[in-house]
Amino acid sequence: MMRTRPLKVALLGCGVVGSEVARIMTTHADDLTARIGAPVELAGVAVRRPDRVREGIDPALITTDATALVKRGDIDVVVEVIGGIEPARALITTAFEHGASVVSANKALLAQDGAALHAAAEQHGKDLYYEAAVAGAIPLIRPLRESLAGDKINRVMGIVNGTTNFILDKMDSTGAGYQEALDEATALGYAEADPTADVEGFDAAAKAAILAGIAFHTRVRLDDVYREGMTEVTAADFASARRMGCTIKLLAICERAGDGASVTARVHPAMIPLSHPLASVRGAYNAVFVESDAAGQLMFYGPGAGGSPTASAVLGDLVAVCRNRIGGATGPGESAYAALPVSPMGDVVTRYHISLDVADKPGVLAQVATVFAEHGVSIDTVRQSGKDGEASLVVVTHRASDAALTGTVEALRKLDTVRGVASIMRVEGE
């Protein structure tokens, strides 16, 4: 039976994503009503600049007092798309206290304070949904915490930032340098005027924290995620990758240790084989590769950012939360029962590609090989080229810990025959 009283929604933020959420709520109102089982009414929109023209939104709904809006008491769901830590955190907790469930796209806040927000939602018997916080329109969080709830997830590895993937793809396909590719990304609107959050891996690290927490039923905060940006990746690195049959991606990697007793979460550039599904992800698209015991290997692919894709994820959560509201139930909350320790980066084991500038004379390779052996790092392949007394030595290792590799590189720098370490890159996906 259709409920006639509308569910009231407060929208916090009306930028690229918020305005698209409002538009879809208006243009798809009948479909949303049919899917939810009750009408959905936009009851208020909190913004910082009320004088800006917002097409399709009744000016009477606009307010600059977000706190008063979430305190109204008749609001059923608060949609938070303003981003940042404050005032978003205070507004979300206030919404719970005054009887509203929350849909958020705020990856930074959830990565930093997700546990506290989940606790507040549980305390007040309300929902906290945030599909849009990771990978835009790609259904990922709900499959991890619902569809795969009966499985054991061992690894989540993916491209979760469209800006960096566009830049690296452009460098790979055209031979452009980093700055040239970044300039094109900025001109096309893929990169912000200040791209630091993207290119230095902060955005991807927040998403990795959220994914690891859900996948491994363990609280993983932003500070637990190792982060390395991609600003030092060069055309020479891509040339080396191509010689290995690889390309380079900025990856978010969350995985269980081999013994299952701990987890790791990290973001960094890595070479991956061209045969791996993630290698074919082009432009500003995102893709996440999930490995589990029973389901095996799954890949989720699609647009990871933008107003419409992100709004699609927000509306999906809004429908789910409204259905719960009508049924007098709540959806799954935080699952952190496993409470596994998060291991430091030094414990991570992977392969490495190391490029060294060395003197072109007899015995250099033997010296370098000895250093690797002394630190317990096994060499897979070596390639040496040079002339006029200078040479380049490229070493690809078998799997080794980050700590062992760090010790190896420190020892290599002390050799008189090693002029410098041109680059170090991890090799993943094998």
Side-chain angles (χ1 to χ4, degrees), residues 143 147-154 290-300:
S147 303
L148 296 173
D151 206 342
K152 178 183 178 183
I153 298 173
N154 297 310
V290 177
E291 300 176 26
S292 69
D293 277 359
Q297 297 179 331
L298 307 169
M299 189 163 122
F300 301 82

Side-chain angles (χ1 to χ4, degrees), residues 66-427:
T67 301
L69 178 60
V70 299
K71 282 184 173 181
R72 274 179 36 175
D74 64 335
I75 300 296
D76 294 286
V77 184
V78 169
V79 175
E80 183 271 311
V81 288
I82 56 177
I85 305 302
E86 292 293 358
R89 175 170 48 196
L91 291 170
I92 289 173
T93 55
T94 299
F96 292 141
E97 291 166 0
H98 287 78
S101 290
V102 173
V103 172
S104 176
N106 196 330
K107 54 188 172 287
L109 178 58
L110 289 159
Q112 178 171 307
D113 287 323
L117 295 178
H118 273 294
E122 182 177 3
Q123 177 185 352
H124 296 284
K126 298 297 178 284
D127 276 322
L128 173 62
Y129 276 48
Y130 43 90
E131 184 69 63
V134 180
I138 304 172
L140 184 58
I141 288 177
R142 191 171 289 113
L144 287 178
R145 72 177 186 175
E146 296 183 28
S147 303
L148 296 173
D151 206 342
K152 178 183 178 183
I153 298 173
N154 297 310
R155 196 175 207 224
V156 179
M157 178 172 77
I159 299 161
V160 295
N161 183 278
T163 300
T164 54
N165 198 58
F166 178 89
I167 293 169
L168 292 173
D169 182 42
K170 186 61 62 174
M171 292 174 70
D172 187 23
S173 61
T174 68
Y178 166 75
Q179 190 60 50
E180 182 183 352
L182 172 59
D183 289 344
E184 182 172 350
T186 303
L188 292 172
Y190 291 127
E192 300 287 346
D194 179 0
T196 302
D198 294 324
V199 300
E200 293 295 350
F202 290 100
D203 175 84
K207 296 169 181 176
I210 294 169
L211 292 175
I214 296 170
F216 306 132
H217 304 278
T218 292
R219 286 179 178 169
V220 179
R221 300 181 75 249
L222 182 58
D223 292 346
D224 296 321
V225 181
Y226 172 83
R227 178 194 55 78
E228 185 180 318
M230 40 80 69
T231 58
E232 301 300 319
V233 176
T234 66
D237 292 324
F238 274 102
S240 292
R242 281 191 289 272
R243 283 191 287 268
M244 290 179 58
C246 293
T247 188
I248 299 171
K249 299 292 186 182
L250 185 75
L251 298 178
I253 304 171
C254 315
E255 58 189 350
R256 294 180 189 269
D259 60 4
S262 64
V263 299
T264 59
R266 51 197 165 102
V267 169
H268 54 71
M271 294 182 180
I272 58 172
L274 294 174
S275 58
H276 194 282
L278 291 177
S280 62
V281 179
R282 311 301 296 269
Y285 276 72
N286 285 192
V288 177
F289 201 71
V290 177
E291 300 176 26
S292 69
D293 277 359
Q297 297 179 331
L298 307 169
M299 189 163 122
F300 301 82
Y301 169 84
S308 293
T310 305
S312 172
V314 170
L315 266 296
D317 278 351
L318 178 62
V319 168
V321 169
C322 287
R323 286 171 174 169
N324 291 344
R325 191 87 173 183
I326 292 172
T330 56
E334 183 189 34
S335 175
Y337 73 89
L340 297 171
V342 182
S343 296
M345 187 62 187
D347 293 347
V348 171
V349 175
T350 189
R351 297 181 68 202
Y352 291 87
H353 176 283
I354 305 102
S355 180
L356 304 172
D357 295 326
V358 300
D360 188 14
K361 63 181 184 181
V364 173
L365 180 55
Q367 284 184 321
V368 169
T370 297
V371 170
F372 275 88
E374 289 174 346
H375 289 81
V377 179
S378 175
I379 293 175
D380 182 15
T381 62
V382 177
R383 185 179 69 252
Q384 185 172 5
S385 61
K387 60 181 180 178
D388 300 328
E390 298 296 328
S392 174
L393 190 64
V394 175
V395 178
V396 180
T397 73
H398 288 291
R399 290 175 65 83
S401 72
D402 188 82
L405 196 281
T406 298
T408 302
V409 172
E410 290 176 353
L412 288 171
R413 295 184 193 276
K414 296 177 182 178
L415 295 178
D416 293 338
T417 51
V418 174
R419 309 298 193 216
V421 179
S423 69
I424 303 170
M425 192 165 296
R426 297 167 183 86
V427 182

